[in-house]
Amino acid sequence: MSGSCTATWYDGRTSQGHAVTVRLVEGSLAVSGAGVDSVYPLAEVCVDPPLGRVRRRLHFPDGASAETGADGFVEELLRRQGRGGVLLGVHRWEKSIGRAVVALALLVAIVFGFLRYLVPVLALKVAFALPPRTEELIGRETLQVLDQVIMRPSALPRLRREEVTRRFRAMTAGDPQRQGWRLEFRSSKEIGANAFALPSGIVVVTDRMVELAENDDDLAGVLAHEIGHLERRHALRHLLQNSVTALVVATLTGDLVSAGSLAATMPTALVDAKYSRDFEWEADAAAVRFLKRQGIPVRRYAEILARLEADHYQERKDVPRLGELFDDHPAMLERVQKVLAAQ
């Protein structure tokens, strides 16, 4: 490595540059050229961090600076100062397309692993540690949003609602953790036949869902499925996972406006919940266990799932639904087959 290099000198008072030679002399940096003859202690010279192929600039204590493309000289200067090890390593990666691609792939893998495996674990712990009052607030406000936007009071006969409510209470009675859980009936053309669970133990079932049931044993499977969602805090975990994902994406992309609006969109995020297959299968497994304990044929649950999918299919053909809102039952045929296999 040469102990000197050529550079363009700026005196710090004008923009005019002068050609100079910069030399490393033991613990000093000597600059010489037309009208320039200066010596600076090496420890007082600052160097701009590397940025792609941009020429490096040396800054001197009197306000002057020198610009040079001699990267090897600058690296030697930094080495003698005892600095630049990490920055130089990063700069080498930046200058290599192959290494940059490897670094990008590594970053994507780390982010994917964090979101796919670590975030669900954290969401599970937080969901079960959340104060009941907070969970109740989220559940209540989400239901209010639904009532204002897409749901209306149930048109089912009072007697029929009371029958289904008694069945739900019988399913939740005797368990202190299910104290206060309640069943809500609503009508909604936008979401059609459906049932879903909200935080704090609220299960909403639509009129069309009740009408699809050929008997109360059919509904028992549906209600047991939603109780399974509640027991595993699926709605909260879904909300937490999506929020963390949004925060990570906002951090990486710099879209902090979206991150700041997370709190305001919490009810909407729950309304638009599309559970993962894992969540659905956990809830299905809970329904199957309940039906077996009660001596109810498991196939009844599979049959109402099939009727539910057929009803949604017909609705999509007749009238486009409000996006895919509440379409939280992906791969229904796969679920039906799995439920039947669990008989």
Side-chain angles (χ1 to χ4, degrees), residues 318-329:
D318 296 341
V319 181
R321 292 168 58 190
L322 186 60
E324 288 301 315
L325 203 65
F326 285 89
D327 194 5
D328 58 352
H329 299 268

Side-chain angles (χ1 to χ4, degrees), residues 78-283:
L78 290 171
R79 190 187 65 76
R80 294 193 184 188
Q81 288 182 325
R83 296 183 293 181
V86 175
L87 286 177
L88 290 175
V90 173
H91 185 52
R92 292 192 187 98
W93 278 81
E94 286 178 338
K95 294 172 66 176
S96 168
I97 294 179
R99 288 177 177 178
V101 171
V102 171
L104 178 61
L106 186 61
L107 175 64
V108 170
I110 291 173
V111 172
F112 174 79
F114 175 76
L115 296 177
R116 177 67 178 83
Y117 300 105
L118 185 56
V119 168
V121 174
L122 296 176
L124 174 64
K125 293 184 177 298
V126 172
F128 279 91
L130 209 61
R133 187 172 298 178
T134 302
E135 189 177 356
E136 181 182 347
L137 178 65
I138 296 173
R140 184 176 65 246
E141 293 197 350
T142 302
L143 185 59
Q144 288 175 353
V145 170
L146 295 175
D147 285 337
Q148 292 169 3
V149 179
I150 55 174
M151 297 198 308
R152 288 163 290 282
S154 171
L156 287 175
R158 181 177 58 83
L159 184 59
R160 181 57 178 149
R161 282 184 277 131
E162 290 177 348
E163 289 174 348
V164 179
T165 299
R166 280 196 295 272
R167 189 67 179 256
F168 178 78
R169 287 175 179 168
M171 296 170 66
T172 56
D175 188 338
Q177 292 185 349
R178 299 177 179 180
Q179 189 174 6
W181 289 10
R182 71 180 193 270
L183 186 62
E184 297 281 349
F185 295 90
R186 294 292 188 276
S187 173
S188 175
K189 290 182 180 179
E190 288 84 354
I191 62 177
N194 220 314
F196 49 92
L198 300 178
S200 75
I202 301 172
V203 172
V204 179
V205 60
T206 66
D207 291 357
R208 181 59 183 158
M209 186 76 249
V210 176
E211 292 167 357
L212 277 183
E214 294 180 349
N215 52 61
D216 285 355
D217 285 347
D218 289 355
L219 279 178
V222 174
L223 296 177
H225 174 92
E226 300 308 325
I227 289 172
H229 280 313
L230 290 176
E231 287 181 329
R232 300 300 299 165
R233 303 284 204 282
H234 285 163
L236 275 178
R237 290 163 61 185
H238 175 82
L239 173 63
L240 291 167
Q241 289 176 202
N242 281 3
S243 299
V244 172
T245 301
L247 283 173
V248 170
V249 172
T251 301
L252 292 177
T253 62
D255 186 11
L256 300 181
V257 175
S258 299
S261 63
L262 276 178
T265 59
M266 286 173 64
T268 308
L270 276 178
V271 169
D272 198 22
K274 289 184 178 180
Y275 290 137
S276 67
R277 281 179 167 79
D278 289 344
F279 283 2
E280 290 298 345
W281 286 338
E282 281 185 2

